[in-house]
């Protein structure tokens, strides 16, 4: 009962993902399939906005598993990723026990302080306890080296030992998706435990399909022209080439303004939806509009 | 290997041969990764070339740099063509006298070659691997002693994360934990406060022809900085291309670290394309986080063969990202030096500290500038 929907091949998984609105290419479908059946974490790298985080959510939907997300940042500590004790409630419990004169047996009282109900589970522990689950470790490149070393330990045997309580072991290892924007080189030891996939921008047809799927209200014409213009923008060596997320924002903005196709004037006015640097905007404005809109 | 066991024997041989090809091409396909590939193949259709391609790519590669090499090796191996084995770097024929053998102590002096090298500096990439320990004995001994004494202090930045401390705001978790131990009585308040953390230092070292006389010393300086703060220091060499040498310089022994660094640098004593290489650094590393809030030290004479305009643009961009930009120019130590080269003129408006880097005294001064930046 626990896993009714594990697909039998990459193609089946791709079809299931497509049903949720996430359109993977063959490599990504194979990567996700292998991560699922080999119980190996999936390490996704790629430019911002290519759909790394969205994949984890889509996989949770496909497999019917709960998803737990750990956002990494500099200074992230184990207690924020694993568990913490609820000290305030422990203290209250102690006082209540004293008031009820239950403090006669100090050992039992102490043991009762480290009960599961005083444990605050953080994403990693939650994902193990609630297995099978999907564990999204987002932007792991933002965490410190020490945190990476700690992750390595958790991801290699999927157990967490809590000194006061015992060991928590996942019955089925969670499907782990790690994402990185490459702000920093992640340690090789961590990558070695994972399947590595570089997520590139989608090709034209796939991007059109994604736009059509996610934004059904946008006309086919507009979706194609936005996809073509976005692809053109990516060839311009910009500071921040637009990802799928930006293409969707752009299409939405154009649609909101009543556009049925991409005319140069509207495109120039809505560049802010797709470009996020002044230099990039100026660069594109200085080009002939046909260079952007035409293919 | 439970999954791999179902894979047939000739598949194993094919994969092992492929992994060997891949290692020749420079992808570190370690045995555990190969094992993972076999396990992956056990789950996929071995007769489907595209499944084999992905099984290998997902398990053997570890970064975007590996992908092109993987594609080439895959095409070569599985089309039946044997790829030409790539010449090992060590066998590359040294083309200039400065390519002394790795054996220390037999190297020729570099300084005498300097004018010659500068004259030869060209836009073409001179692809060779120089032994950076190839100084004269006396010089090397001298520098080694002096660099061992150099203890660069890191610049500090305020931290958000608070740690236990005798003073500061109350630390509720520690206080209550302590109270639990004391039977529920809060007898003492424990405190925490933010402690400053080291700020990242990024060194960009010009290894082009005109900088050859100084590159050794600058790399030794970089090694001293890396040794002092291995986690918060990054070192790149710039010339005709960008090379990250942080990992090589983390070796403890300076001579081995420099030899490893020298091996890693493909464009030693080539030309300079500062603007382009700086742009590559900012695109690939700087903007994503490496230069953000860091002290960035550019060590170069500003001899730019490309357009100065691009350099000016990229320096302005660097300054917006970095906490402070330090430019080290060895020539600044000379009497009567004026920063007249186009590159220097373009860079100076975006530089916070412009210092010399030609002598040990200048390096000591530089450590002060970095730690106060």
């Amino acid at each position: 009962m626990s896993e009714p929907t594990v697909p039998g091949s990459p193609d089946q998984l791709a079809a299931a993902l497509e049903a949720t609105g996430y359109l993977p290419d063959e490599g990504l479908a194979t990567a996700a399939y292998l991560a699922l059946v080999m119980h190996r974490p999936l390490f996704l790298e790629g430019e911002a906005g290519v759909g790394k985080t969205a994949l984890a959510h889509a996989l949770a939907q496909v497999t019917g598993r709960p998803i737990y997300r750990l956002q990494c940042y500099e200074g992230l500590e184990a207690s924020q990723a694993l568990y913490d004790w609820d000290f305030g409630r422990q203290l209250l419990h102690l006082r209540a026990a004293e008031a009820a004169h239950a403090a006669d047996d100090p050992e039992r009282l102490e043991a009762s302080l480290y009960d599961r109900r005083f444990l605050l589970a953080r994403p990693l522990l939650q994902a193990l306890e609630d297995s099978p689950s999907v564990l999204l470790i987002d932007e792991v490149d933002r965490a410190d080296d020490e945190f990476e070393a700690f992750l390595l330990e958790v991801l290699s045997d999927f157990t967490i030992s809590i000194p006061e309580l015992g060991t928590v072991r996942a019955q089925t290892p969670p499907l782990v998706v790690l994402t990185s924007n490459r702000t920093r080189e992640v340690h090789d030891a961590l990558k070695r435990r994972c399947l590595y996939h570089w997520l590139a921008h989608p090709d034209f047809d796939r991007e059109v399909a994604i736009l059509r799927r996610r934004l059904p209200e946008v006309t086919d014409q507009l979706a194609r022209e936005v996809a073509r213009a976005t692809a053109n923008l990516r060839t311009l060596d910009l500071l921040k080439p637009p990802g799928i997320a930006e293409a969707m924002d752009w299409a939405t903005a154009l649609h909101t303004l009543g556009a049925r196709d991409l005319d140069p004037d509207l495109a120039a006015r809505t560049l802010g939806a797709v470009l996020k640097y002044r230099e990039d905007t100026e660069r594109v404005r200085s080009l002939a509009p046909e260079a952007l809109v035409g293919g | 290997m439970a999954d791999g066991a179902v894979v047939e024997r000739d598949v194993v041989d094919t994969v092992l041969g492929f992994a060997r090809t891949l290692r020749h091409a420079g992808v570190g396909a370690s045995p555990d990764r190969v094992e993972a590939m076999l396990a992956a193949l056990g789950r996929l259709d071995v007769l489907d070339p595209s499944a084999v391609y992905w099984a290998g790519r997902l398990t053997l590669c570890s970064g975007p740099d590996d992908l092109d090499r993987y594609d080439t090796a895959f095409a070569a191996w599985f089309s039946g063509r044997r790829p030409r084995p790539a010449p090992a770097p060590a066998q590359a024929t040294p083309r200039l006298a400065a390519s002394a053998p790795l054996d220390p102590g037999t190297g020729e002096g570099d300084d005498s070659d300097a004018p010659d090298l500068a004259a030869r500096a060209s836009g073409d990439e001179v692809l060779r691997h120089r032994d950076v320990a190839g100084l004269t004995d006396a010089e090397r001994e001298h520098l080694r002693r002096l660099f061992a004494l150099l203890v660069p202090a890191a610049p500090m930045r305020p931290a958000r994360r608070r740690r236990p401390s005798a003073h500061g705001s109350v630390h509720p978790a520690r206080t209550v934990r302590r109270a639990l131990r004391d039977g529920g009585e809060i007898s003492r308040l424990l405190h925490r406060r933010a402690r400053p953390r080291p700020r990242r230092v990024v060194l960009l070292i010009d290894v082009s022809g005109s900088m050859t006389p100084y590159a050794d010393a600058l790399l030794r300086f970089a090694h001293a900085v890396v040794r002092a703060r291995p986690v918060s220091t990054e070192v790149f060499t710039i010339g005709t291309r960008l090379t990250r040498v942080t990992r090589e310089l983390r070796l403890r022994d300076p001579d081995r670290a420099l030899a490893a660094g020298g091996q890693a640098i493909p464009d030693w004593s080539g030309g300079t394309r500062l603007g382009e290489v700086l742009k590559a650094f900012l695109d690939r590393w700087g903007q994503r986080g490496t230069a953000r809030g860091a002290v960035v030290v550019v060590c170069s004479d500003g001899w730019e063969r490309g357009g100065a305009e691009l350099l000016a643009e990229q320096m302005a961009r660097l300054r917006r990202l970095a906490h402070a930009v330090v430019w080290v120019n060895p020539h600044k130590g000379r009497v009567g030096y004026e920063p007249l080269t186009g590159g220097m003129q373009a860079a100076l408006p975006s530089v916070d500290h412009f210092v010399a880097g030609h002598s040990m005294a200048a390096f000591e001064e530089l450590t002060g500038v970095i730690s106060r930046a």
Side-chain angles (χ1 to χ4, degrees):
Chain A
M1 175 55 218
S2 62
E3 285 195 49
T5 50
V6 167
S9 72
D11 291 344
Q12 281 180 27
L13 178 60
L17 283 170
E18 273 173 34
T20 73
Y22 192 98
L23 278 56
D25 59 16
E26 190 193 3
L28 188 57
T30 312
Y33 172 75
L34 287 176
L36 205 54
V37 296
M38 289 171 73
H39 300 303
R40 252 174 123 87
L42 177 57
F43 191 99
L44 286 178
E45 253 181 357
E47 303 290 339
V50 290
K52 301 187 291 289
T53 303
L55 175 71
H57 288 283
L59 282 171
Q61 223 178 316
V62 163
T63 55
R65 297 177 174 189
I67 180 163
Y68 296 96
R69 175 169 180 269
L70 176 68
Q71 170 66 51
C72 296
Y73 51 89
E74 197 176 0
L76 178 62
E77 288 175 82
S79 68
Q80 289 147 321
L82 278 185
Y83 66 88
D84 213 351
W85 288 102
D86 188 343
F87 299 111
R89 286 189 60 205
Q90 280 176 313
L91 200 62
L92 276 177
H93 174 75
L94 196 63
R95 284 295 159 90
E98 274 175 358
H101 302 288
D104 304 335
D105 186 350
E107 270 179 32
R108 255 188 67 195
L109 182 61
E110 200 187 324
S112 75
L113 279 177
Y114 292 104
D115 190 80
R116 176 65 185 83
R117 68 195 161 115
F118 297 123
L119 193 72
L120 298 170
R122 308 285 190 216
L124 289 184
L125 181 61
Q126 285 174 334
L128 294 195
E129 280 190 328
D130 204 2
S131 77
S133 58
V134 175
L135 171 61
L136 168 62
I137 302 176
D138 223 357
E139 303 189 310
V140 67
D141 49 333
R142 284 178 186 246
D144 306 328
D145 282 12
E146 304 93 74
F147 188 76
E148 256 176 51
F150 157 79
L151 263 188
L152 195 63
E153 200 186 314
V154 176
L155 295 186
S156 52
D157 49 8
F158 296 109
T159 58
I160 291 171
S161 69
I162 303 169
E164 300 89 346
L165 213 59
T167 303
V168 178
R169 182 182 297 274
Q171 272 161 3
T172 310
L175 172 59
V176 185
V177 177
L178 298 111
T179 76
S180 158
N181 291 329
R182 279 208 111 206
T183 62
R184 187 174 65 84
E185 199 74 67
V186 171
H187 206 280
D188 224 29
L190 182 60
K191 282 184 169 177
R192 276 220 313 268
R193 306 239 174 251
C194 306
L195 297 163
Y196 175 83
H197 187 60
W198 174 263
L199 206 52
H201 293 298
D203 58 27
F204 175 73
D205 290 337
R206 190 168 299 277
E207 186 141 37
V208 173
I210 292 170
L211 288 173
R212 292 289 289 147
R213 189 55 158 275
R214 304 299 289 268
L215 307 167
E217 68 279 10
V218 170
T219 62
D220 186 50
Q221 168 94 356
L222 184 58
R224 297 184 77 81
E225 288 178 0
V226 165
R228 183 166 300 123
T230 310
N232 285 345
L233 286 174
R234 285 183 196 136
T235 63
L236 289 181
D237 193 22
L238 300 172
L239 292 179
K240 168 71 184 79
I244 302 173
E246 281 79 18
M248 289 207 289
D249 286 349
W250 201 15
T252 309
L254 289 163
H255 176 76
T256 311
L257 293 176
R260 298 188 60 79
D261 58 4
L262 185 64
D263 72 80
D265 175 50
L266 262 183
R269 275 162 54 198
T270 49
L271 272 185
V274 70
L275 298 178
K276 304 297 157 85
Y277 283 88
R278 187 179 58 87
E279 290 90 334
D280 288 354
T281 316
E282 278 176 3
R283 176 107 186 261
V284 172
R285 287 235 166 89
S286 69
L287 298 170
E290 301 79 54
L292 178 61
V293 178
Chain B
M1 267 312 277
D3 298 322
V6 298
V7 181
E8 284 181 34
R9 186 66 222 164
D10 52 342
V11 173
V12 174
D13 286 341
T14 311
V15 166
L16 288 179
F18 174 51
R20 238 184 345 260
T21 311
L22 207 53
R23 277 195 289 270
H24 268 299
V27 178
S30 55
D32 56 335
R33 285 183 191 273
V34 177
E35 204 171 296
M37 177 178 176
L38 288 168
L41 275 176
R43 301 289 192 156
L44 298 171
D45 180 4
V46 191
L47 297 177
D48 175 6
S50 142
V52 176
Y53 170 86
W54 284 109
R57 195 179 127 169
L58 292 164
T59 50
L60 302 179
C61 293
S62 68
D65 297 343
D66 287 350
L67 301 181
D68 279 346
R69 297 177 195 154
Y70 178 84
D71 287 353
T72 314
F74 188 87
W77 182 257
F78 286 98
S79 70
R81 264 188 305 120
R82 282 219 157 217
R84 280 183 297 118
Q91 292 163 1
T93 323
R95 284 175 50 192
L96 291 172
S99 307
L102 267 171
D103 179 30
T106 57
E108 284 177 57
D110 286 324
D111 286 356
S112 56
D113 292 332
D116 185 26
L117 280 174
R120 286 194 198 204
S122 68
D124 298 331
E125 184 169 297
V126 184
L127 196 118
R128 34 195 218 92
H129 295 275
R130 208 194 68 134
D131 173 18
V132 293
L135 293 168
T136 62
D137 275 346
E139 274 172 325
R140 210 178 53 248
E141 268 317 306
H142 186 61
L143 273 179
R144 185 186 289 159
R145 268 204 314 278
L146 290 175
F147 275 104
L149 295 175
L150 196 63
V151 186
M156 303 302 274
R157 63 176 173 86
R160 189 192 49 77
R161 180 171 162 191
R162 288 178 290 178
R163 293 129 181 251
S165 166
H167 307 279
S169 59
V170 173
H171 191 324
R174 276 182 74 219
T175 303
V176 177
R177 210 168 347 183
R178 172 66 165 260
L180 288 176
R181 215 185 304 147
D182 295 348
E185 211 58 62
I186 296 181
S187 53
R188 242 183 89 193
L189 290 179
L190 295 167
H191 301 268
R192 64 179 178 185
R193 70 169 164 187
R195 267 189 238 149
R197 306 191 70 195
R199 192 181 281 284
R200 191 168 20 239
V201 176
V202 180
L203 295 149
L204 300 171
I205 297 176
D206 189 341
V207 293
S208 61
S210 62
M211 285 290 286
T212 302
Y214 301 103
D216 262 352
L218 287 170
L219 279 172
R220 268 177 202 274
F221 176 75
H223 180 257
V225 181
V226 172
R227 202 187 43 204
R229 296 274 174 188
V231 177
S232 59
T233 310
E234 288 285 342
V235 186
F236 297 85
T237 60
I238 53 182
T240 50
R241 63 161 86 173
L242 179 77
T243 311
R244 180 174 180 257
V245 290
T246 314
R247 204 168 283 172
E248 284 78 10
L249 291 188
R250 281 192 188 145
L251 288 172
R252 219 185 136 64
D253 178 63
D255 289 320
R256 282 182 52 208
L258 260 70
Q263 289 284 324
I265 302 167
D267 54 342
W268 200 274
S269 298
T272 329
R273 293 200 302 250
L274 280 183
E276 267 172 59
V277 177
L278 197 57
K279 180 172 184 317
F281 165 73
L282 289 170
D283 285 349
R284 203 170 143 195
W285 297 88
Q287 187 175 319
R288 293 157 183 270
T290 307
R292 222 175 266 280
V295 175
V296 180
V297 185
V298 185
C299 309
S300 171
D301 53 5
W303 188 260
E304 169 67 315
R305 296 185 70 88
E309 201 173 288
L310 180 64
L311 179 61
E313 204 176 281
Q314 298 305 317
M315 283 300 293
R317 199 177 148 203
L318 174 63
R319 196 191 198 177
R320 286 200 296 275
L321 283 170
H323 174 72
V325 178
V326 182
W327 191 292
V328 181
N329 187 335
H331 301 319
K332 189 170 184 276
R334 288 198 197 134
V335 185
Y337 168 78
E338 295 277 345
L340 294 178
T341 60
M344 269 337 302
Q345 288 288 337
L348 277 181
S350 310
V351 168
D352 296 298
H353 307 277
F354 184 42
V355 296
H358 62 297
S359 67
M360 204 57 215
F363 284 132
E364 280 157 12
E365 208 182 299
L366 176 58
T367 61
V369 170
I370 293 175
S371 68
R372 286 190 304 272

